[in-house]
Amino acid sequence: MTKAAARRRRVARPAVTRGGAKQNGMAAARAKGSRLAAYVADRIIDDIAARGWLEGEVVGSEAELLEKYGVSRAVFREAVRLLEHLHVARMRRGPGGGLVVSAPTADSVIDAVAVYIVYVGAQVDEVFAARLVIEELAAELAAVRPDEGSISALRAQLHAEREHEARDIRELHHLIGAATGNPAIAFFVDLLSTVTSLFRPSADAVPARFVAQVTAAHGAIVEAILSGDGGLAASRMRVHILAEAQFLQAKRPARPRLTELPDPAGRSEKRAEQTARQIFREVAQAGWPVGTLLGSETELMARYDVSRAVLREAVRVLEHHQVARMRRGPGGGLFVVEPGIEAVADAIALQIDRLGIKARDLYEVRSAVEMAALEMAVTRLDSAGEDRVEAALEAERIATGTELRMMGHDLHGVLAGLSGNRVIELLALVLLRLSRIHASTPNQQPVSRVPTEDVVRSHQKIVESIQNRDLDLARRRMRQHLDAVSKWSH
C-alpha cells in the first residue's frame, strides 16, 4: 500500500451497518455486497494513487478489472458508482473505453462541508471569521513568496476586473492562495470561498457599485502584495472580507437557506444525485430530525418517481455524507442520521492525496486556525469550559505513551470546540485528524520516541495561561508548542 493510500485509509469512514439482529438473508447479502463494493472502491483508489493520479488514464476495461479484483459485475458496478460520486474515476463505454481517472475536483469536499455546516446551523459570520484566518495568512505570505508567474497572474486578473472582463471576481482570491506556494492554503481559500455561496445564492444580482468596491479593494491588496508588504496586504484583505460579510449580512438571513442553494457551477448531476440533493434539502428544512423515518424504499421510489436502482444510488450518496441511512428488514427504511466530521475528513484527505499536499503545508494552515481558535476560546471561557480543558489535560497525564500518541491532539480539539465558531472548529478538527495521520505513517518516529513528557508539559503550560486569562502568554506558549510539533512530525 502506498504512503498516500495508508494515510487516506486511516480516515476512511466505517462500513455502514444495515438492519438489526433479525436481518433476513437477502438483506444481509445486500449489506455484504455494499461493504464489498466500498472495499473494492478503496482498492481501486489505492491503485490509482500508486500510479500517480494520472488524469485521463484508462485503468482497465470492465472485464480486466472484474478479473483483477475478483468480484461480480454487480459489486464492481456499485464500486464504480462510488468512485464516480467521489470524482475519482468514471466508466467510459465503447471502443477504447474502461475506467478512466477523473480530473481533480473539490465537489465532493464542498458537498461534505455543506452537509456539516447546514446540520450544525453555522451562521454567516462564522464562515467569514474562518475566511479571515485563512485569507489574511494567504495575503501576508503571498507578499513574500510570489514568483514571476504568480505576479503576472495577479496583474492579469486585476486588469480583467477593471475592464469588466473577469468571469469570476473570486478568482483573485484563488490566485493569492496559489501565490503563497502552499497548496493547502490555496485549497482552503477555495473551499471557504465556495462555501460562502451557501449564503450567497446565484439568483441574487450583485450591484455594480459593490462590484466596483470589490475591484478597488482587490487593487489595493495586489498593490501591497507586489510591494512585498505582507502586513499591509493582510490588513487590506481583512478590511475587504469584512466588507463582503457586511454586504451579505444586509442582504441575506444569517443562516443558509438550502432551498436556494444553487448547484455547483458546471456540475452535470445524474438523476440519483438530484434525488439525493432533494432529500438533503428536505432534511435540512425539517430541522434535521435525527432518527426520523423518511419512508420505506417503496414509498421513496413513488415519492420521487425513481427506479429502485436510482433510489439506491441516491441512498449511497446520502450515506456517504452522513445525511441518512437505509435500514433493511421489517420496520426498516431511510432514517435521518447525525453527521460527524468523518465524511468531511475522508473527502479532504482524498483530495489532499490527489494534490500531493505535504505535512509541512498542512501545519502552516493548522497553526493559523488553532491560534485563532485559542484566542476565541480564552475570550469565551467559562467554568464549564475550564472543566473541559482540565479533563482533557488529566486524561493526558494518566495516558501511556501509546495512548498519548493517539490522543495527544485532544486538548487542541477541546479548545477548538470552546471557540464558539462551528466552521473554525470543523477546520481545526479536520486538520488535527490529518496531522495525526501524517504523524502515524511508517517513516515517522516510533511510539517509544514520542516526546510524551514534553507534550504533556507544554499542554500544562498552555492550560495554566488559559486559566489565568493571560492571552498573550497563551499565544506564545501555543506557538512554541505548534512549532515543536511541526518539527517533530516532519
Side-chain angles (χ1 to χ4, degrees), residues 11 60 296 356 427 434:
V11 293
S296 68
L427 293 181
L434 294 173

Side-chain angles (χ1 to χ4, degrees), residues 231-351:
L232 182 60
S235 176
R236 289 178 175 177
M237 178 64 79
R238 182 178 187 82
V239 171
H240 169 49
I241 291 179
L242 289 175
E244 183 183 354
Q246 185 177 19
F247 169 76
L248 288 182
Q249 286 172 325
K251 291 182 66 63
R252 307 300 309 161
R255 296 180 184 273
R257 288 182 174 174
L258 201 59
T259 53
E260 300 174 347
L261 176 62
D263 293 335
R267 174 183 290 181
S268 176
E269 289 188 336
K270 296 189 299 183
R271 185 66 184 276
E273 291 179 330
Q274 293 172 350
T275 303
R277 184 172 287 269
Q278 184 176 351
I279 296 173
F280 173 26
R281 286 174 169 152
E282 292 173 2
V283 168
Q285 283 180 305
W288 216 292
V290 174
T292 296
L293 172 64
L294 299 176
S296 68
E297 186 173 72
T298 301
E299 291 168 343
L300 294 171
M301 288 166 56
R303 184 182 308 165
Y304 299 107
D305 190 24
V306 295
S307 66
R308 179 172 277 103
V310 168
L311 178 66
R312 288 182 176 177
E313 187 171 348
V315 167
R316 280 191 291 272
V317 173
L318 295 169
E319 290 178 334
H320 170 73
H321 288 306
Q322 299 180 349
V323 174
R325 179 176 301 164
M326 184 65 78
R327 298 180 191 168
R328 308 293 181 183
L334 189 63
F335 288 83
V336 179
V337 297
E338 180 179 3
I341 69 164
E342 292 83 5
V344 184
D346 192 15
I348 290 179
L350 180 60
Q351 188 71 356

